[in-house]
């Protein structure tokens, strides 16, 4: 087998040629997290699950909640569209629900769920906590609109 030559990059933009977007994001996020574990601080990530598989996201959340890995109390602040990630967070007062109903509201989860041992994922999926997904009616309207557009194309 042919040995691969070591690559030396002089421009960070070249990383996209050799590494996946998930690997690049992983290097960046975990590098910053390690720095925060040493000193404390905040890491803010929008759509945490983008470019990461579930296990990588779970690992990152577990690192932030582990007092041995994170002795200085670094804080991970993230948004997500996947309620399944809530299974990794024990306390309801650490989770906030953002909704847009005529105006944007932010509600601590512990105002809607009193007990930490309740199944957060099932509560979201059943709509008990609030419907954060588009409505079925909106889905049907979009589907009909697409079908009409496709059918009328010459």
């Amino acid at each position: 087998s042919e040995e691969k030559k070591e690559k030396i990059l002089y421009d960070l933009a070249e990383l996209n040629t050799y590494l996946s977007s998930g690997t690049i994001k992983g290097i960046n996020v975990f590098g910053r997290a390690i720095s925060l574990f040493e000193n404390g601080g905040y890491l803010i990530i929008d759509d945490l699950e983008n470019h990461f598989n579930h296990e990588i996201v779970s690992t990152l959340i577990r690192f932030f909640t582990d007092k041995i890995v994170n002795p200085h109390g670094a804080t991970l602040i993230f948004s997500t569209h996947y309620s399944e990630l809530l299974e990794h967070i024990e306390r309801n007062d650490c989770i906030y629900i953002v909704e847009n109903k005529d105006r944007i509201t932010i509600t601590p989860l512990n105002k809607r769920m009193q007990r930490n041992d309740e199944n957060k994922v099932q509560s979201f999926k059943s709509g008990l906590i609030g419907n954060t997904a588009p409505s079925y009616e909106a889905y049907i309207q979009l589907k009909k609109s697409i079908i009409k557009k496709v059918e009328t194309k010459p």
Side-chain angles (χ1 to χ4, degrees):
S1 102
E2 186 179 310
E3 272 190 55
K4 292 185 179 182
K5 291 183 181 179
E6 181 178 316
K7 299 276 186 196
I8 298 175
L9 303 179
Y10 297 100
D11 184 358
L12 286 177
E14 292 180 73
L15 280 177
N16 289 335
T17 306
Y18 301 101
L19 301 174
S20 72
S21 57
T23 300
I24 293 169
K25 182 177 178 180
I27 291 168
N28 185 22
V29 168
F30 279 87
R32 290 173 189 257
I34 291 166
S35 175
L36 291 173
F37 296 148
E38 293 173 337
N39 303 305
Y42 297 88
L43 180 59
I44 302 171
I45 304 173
D46 187 29
D47 290 331
L48 179 61
E49 69 279 354
N50 281 358
H51 304 290
F52 281 159
N53 68 39
H54 189 270
E55 189 53 39
I56 290 173
V57 173
S58 301
T59 298
L60 183 65
I61 292 170
R62 282 193 305 267
F63 282 171
F64 272 89
T65 58
D66 186 319
K67 291 182 188 223
I68 296 171
V69 175
N70 184 10
H72 301 289
T75 302
L76 175 63
I77 300 171
F78 66 92
S79 67
T80 185
H81 294 276
Y82 295 123
S83 59
E84 293 80 10
L85 295 180
L86 299 177
E87 68 190 23
H88 303 294
I89 302 171
E90 291 179 23
R91 294 175 44 180
N92 291 346
D93 62 345
C94 297
I95 301 169
Y96 291 82
I97 302 162
V98 178
E99 296 173 292
N100 187 0
K101 295 178 183 175
D102 299 326
R103 63 186 177 97
I104 295 174
T105 60
I106 301 172
T107 308
L109 182 59
N110 65 344
K111 296 285 187 199
R112 297 199 186 166
M113 293 181 73
Q114 305 306 314
R115 296 178 42 183
N116 287 326
D117 62 344
E118 291 181 73
N119 189 321
K120 296 174 198 66
V121 176
Q122 280 306 113
S123 294
F124 265 95
K125 287 185 175 183
S126 71
L128 178 66
I129 291 176
N131 190 359
T132 58
S135 71
Y136 180 73
E137 292 79 20
Y139 162 78
I140 293 299
Q141 284 180 324
L142 177 61
K143 183 178 177 180
K144 286 178 180 178
S145 173
I146 292 170
I147 291 169
K148 184 177 179 180
K149 179 102 170 139
V150 171
E151 287 174 344
T152 58
K153 187 174 180 179

